Amino acid sequence: MKIATRTALIYSILTAGILFLFAYVLYFVSEKNREDEFNDRLGYKVIWRSEFIFDAKISDEKIRELHQRNQKLLNEADISVYNSHKDLTFTDIPPLKSNEKYLDQIIKTNKNRIFWQQGDRQYIAIKFESNAEKYYIIGSAVDVTGKAHIAEFKKDIMIIYIISIVVIFIIGFLFSYYTLKPLKDIILQIRDISEHNLNKRLDIPKAKDEIYELTETFNSTFNRLEKSFNNHKQFVTTISHEFRTPLSTLIAELELAKELNVTLDDYKLSIDNALQDANDASELSSALLDFARASYDVSQISLVNVRLDEILAEAKLALLQKNADYKIGINYMDKDGDKDESNYDFHGNPYLLQVAFSNLMENACKYSGDKSAHIEIEAGHQSIKIHFADHGIGISEQDLSKIFDLFYRGLNKSYEKGNGIGLSIVKRIVEIHQGRLDVCSEVSKGSTFTIEFPSKK
């Protein structure tokens, strides 16, 4: 069942319940008013007939005859007259057995009149005095006209009630359809968007209501999807291109070795070249894997309590094991930094942080003539800053704005081989840890990369 139909149905059921309660109260009040009004008229009729019986000097048979004639025209009340000893002195119809109970009730309660009802017939018992003697009169009649009006009224209410429910359902359905129409338009627009036209966006309504917010949210989601999809396509294309180079070189080297090599030295040289190409492919694969890990959703990355200076030391040792000619120095800029361990406490992922620090250390050493990197760590009240400085070839002005782009290599690519992934990984890791990465560089004088993390204190 669609929302418009379900909403109209629920609205109709709730409204039907309210209308039913209103109609029932209206019918109940009308019936009560009819009963009270007929009881008043019944009282007048009984008193009038009682006075006629006691004042008229005619026989009981004549009175009954007149009563029968008038009853057809005026709906006269039937009465039974009892004296003070509860003896029946006159009656139009055979008295009921229950009359004695109501006689006892009016005598005991000392009321002037009481009312009750049996079936469609309404009854009244009153006290009456004539010639200084007490009498008890019980009268009854059927409110034929009043009940007919009430029955007609009840029928009209039921017809109006049913018509009202149908009208309310139609109105509710139209109202729901009109209210939900913008959602249907959004659904139709979303169906037209596929991987082939991710640049298409939803039409934004003029009214800044919930539909406006929903449309903005969808458009924002599509912006992220388009960016992610484009990055994915670019990533796959670039990977294919980057992997093709070392693999093609490796294949060519092996083919040449197969066709041209004669001596043992030739084969050794070919094997060394092939191993170098394989190592290049392996390094590229490792870098891409690190980039993929750094591109995970933050909620999927495990964060624990670590010490940043210890992560730095571990990254230094791991890098020196691979490159013994590198020289890396770590200095604490605050005097008590190495004494108070809590100064460098941080909440992060140890592996990713070590990858980021290793990349910056390796770049500083690779692009320096003396293969050295100078690292300074400083703990403040609100942040922890780590500076990675070198005295190398530096970065040109035109490359500074692009060095964090994936696979980008600047004018210094001829100085040292690489794959253009490292700085992209570093920037992503810093962003995951809610930090900031800045760079300051001057050609032929060196570069300084500064990472600033929020302090845990």
Side-chain angles (χ1 to χ4, degrees):
M1 186 182 293
K2 292 190 176 181
I3 294 178
T5 307
R6 186 166 64 247
T7 303
L9 187 59
I10 294 173
Y11 174 71
S12 300
I13 291 173
L14 292 176
T15 308
I18 296 172
L19 284 179
F20 178 80
L21 182 62
F22 175 76
Y24 178 79
V25 171
L26 185 63
Y27 174 78
F28 177 80
V29 171
S30 300
E31 174 64 18
K32 189 69 173 62
N33 290 336
R34 180 207 64 78
E35 184 179 333
D36 293 341
E37 190 257 341
F38 184 71
N39 283 336
D40 291 338
R41 287 192 285 118
L42 182 60
Y44 293 138
K45 289 180 180 182
V46 169
I47 292 174
W48 179 83
R49 286 214 59 214
S50 300
E51 290 176 349
F52 178 77
I53 290 171
F54 285 105
D55 294 341
K57 304 299 181 181
I58 55 178
S59 64
D60 292 349
E61 287 74 13
K62 190 64 175 177
I63 292 174
R64 291 190 185 93
E65 182 183 346
L66 292 172
H67 172 63
Q68 291 294 330
R69 269 191 275 164
N70 291 336
Q71 193 175 38
K72 294 179 182 180
L73 299 173
L74 304 176
N75 191 22
E76 286 284 359
D78 297 320
I79 65 171
S80 297
V81 181
Y82 296 84
N83 59 22
S84 58
H85 301 293
K86 298 193 294 185
D87 295 327
L88 183 64
T89 60
F90 176 83
T91 183
D92 291 321
I93 56 176
L96 301 176
K97 293 181 180 180
S98 59
N99 285 0
E100 292 185 6
K101 180 179 73 172
Y102 293 105
L103 285 174
D104 293 336
Q105 183 178 342
I106 195 171
I107 293 171
K108 290 178 181 179
T109 57
N110 201 26
K111 292 181 178 179
N112 289 326
R113 59 178 65 189
I114 60 174
F115 300 94
W116 70 95
Q117 185 170 340
Q118 291 183 359
D120 291 336
R121 185 170 286 271
Q122 291 176 235
Y123 291 82
I124 183 175
I126 63 174
K127 292 179 180 179
F128 188 81
E129 288 189 7
S130 180
N131 298 325
E133 290 188 17
K134 287 185 178 180
Y135 293 91
Y136 300 101
I137 314 296
I138 294 179
S140 66
V142 177
D143 187 10
V144 178
T145 304
K147 284 189 174 294
H149 288 165
I150 286 294
E152 190 67 25
F153 178 67
K154 181 179 179 181
K155 180 181 176 182
D156 293 341
I157 285 181
M158 291 179 66
I159 294 173
I160 294 172
Y161 178 77
I162 294 172
I163 294 174
S164 299
I165 296 303
V166 174
V167 172
I168 288 171
F169 177 80
I170 295 173
I171 293 175
F173 180 81
L174 294 176
F175 178 76
S176 301
Y177 180 82
Y178 174 78
T179 304
L180 296 173
K181 189 177 183 301
L183 289 178
K184 192 171 183 180
D185 294 339
I186 290 175
I187 292 172
L188 294 176
Q189 292 181 62
I190 291 176
R191 285 177 179 172
D192 291 338
I193 299 175
S194 65
E195 67 275 11
H196 304 295
N197 59 347
L198 276 175
N199 61 326
K200 191 174 181 180
R201 294 295 178 266
L202 304 180
D203 297 331
I204 299 177
K206 295 180 180 179
K208 293 190 175 182
D209 51 10
E210 287 79 3
I211 302 298
Y212 174 87
E213 294 178 0
L214 180 64
T215 305
E216 283 286 311
T217 303
F218 272 119
N219 284 341
S220 177
T221 302
F222 286 136
N223 287 336
R224 293 193 296 270
L225 284 175
E226 182 184 14
K227 182 178 179 181
S228 176
F229 191 77
N230 290 337
N231 288 339
H232 175 73
K233 287 198 300 184
Q234 181 186 2
F235 188 70
V236 171
T237 302
T238 310
I239 286 177
S240 302
H241 177 269
E242 293 294 329
F243 263 112
R244 184 171 56 189
T245 301
L247 291 178
S248 298
T249 305
L250 176 60
I251 293 171
E253 188 69 38
L254 293 175
E255 288 178 346
L256 287 174
K258 179 181 176 182
E259 298 292 335
L260 302 178
N261 287 352
V262 178
T263 66
L264 182 62
D265 290 336
D266 292 337
Y267 280 107
K268 286 182 178 180
L269 180 62
S270 296
I271 290 174
D272 289 339
N273 292 335
L275 284 174
Q276 182 61 46
D277 293 333
N279 286 330
D280 291 342
S282 177
E283 290 179 3
L284 178 60
S285 175
S286 298
L288 291 172
L289 180 61
D290 289 336
F291 183 80
R293 288 174 178 171
S295 300
Y296 288 164
D297 189 345
V298 178
S299 61
Q300 298 178 356
I301 297 175
S302 175
L303 302 178
V304 296
N305 293 325
V306 297
R307 280 192 59 182
L308 288 178
D309 57 337
E310 291 180 353
I311 302 291
L312 270 174
E314 291 172 2
K316 170 186 173 181
L317 291 175
L319 187 59
L320 290 177
Q321 286 178 355
K322 293 193 302 181
N323 302 276
D325 58 333
Y326 284 179
K327 296 182 284 294
I328 302 172
I330 300 177
N331 300 317
Y332 291 89
M333 300 305 294
D334 43 341
K335 295 180 180 179
D336 299 327
D338 54 348
K339 296 179 181 179
D340 188 356
E341 296 182 355
S342 64
N343 281 355
Y344 302 107
D345 287 348
F346 189 67
H347 196 65
N349 184 278
Y351 173 79
L352 293 180
L353 289 171
Q354 186 172 338
V355 169
F357 296 160
S358 295
N359 270 287
L360 291 176
M361 290 179 186
E362 186 175 10
N363 282 348
C365 293
K366 279 198 307 184
Y367 294 101
S368 298
D370 57 357
K371 303 296 182 183
S372 64
H374 308 280
I375 296 130
E376 297 177 347
I377 181 169
E378 179 182 1
H381 293 291
Q382 296 182 346
S383 64
I384 302 172
K385 292 184 179 179
I386 307 175
H387 306 280
F388 298 82
D390 65 70
H391 300 292
I393 62 174
I395 304 172
S396 67
E397 186 85 21
Q398 65 188 76
D399 287 337
L400 278 176
S401 60
K402 303 176 183 178
I403 58 175
F404 297 113
D405 294 344
L406 185 62
F407 297 115
Y408 179 78
R409 301 210 62 204
L411 298 176
N412 55 10
K413 61 184 177 181
S414 58
Y415 186 86
E416 187 74 29
K417 66 178 181 177
N419 48 46
I421 301 176
L423 289 179
S424 298
I425 296 174
V426 173
K427 184 174 179 61
R428 178 58 185 151
I429 291 174
V430 172
E431 289 174 348
I432 287 173
H433 291 85
Q434 299 179 356
R436 191 178 68 181
L437 177 62
D438 296 320
V439 59
C440 178
S441 183
E442 190 174 347
V443 177
S444 300
K445 291 188 177 182
S447 305
T448 300
F449 287 83
T450 301
I451 297 177
E452 184 176 3
F453 291 122
S455 177
K456 191 180 176 183
K457 292 184 178 180

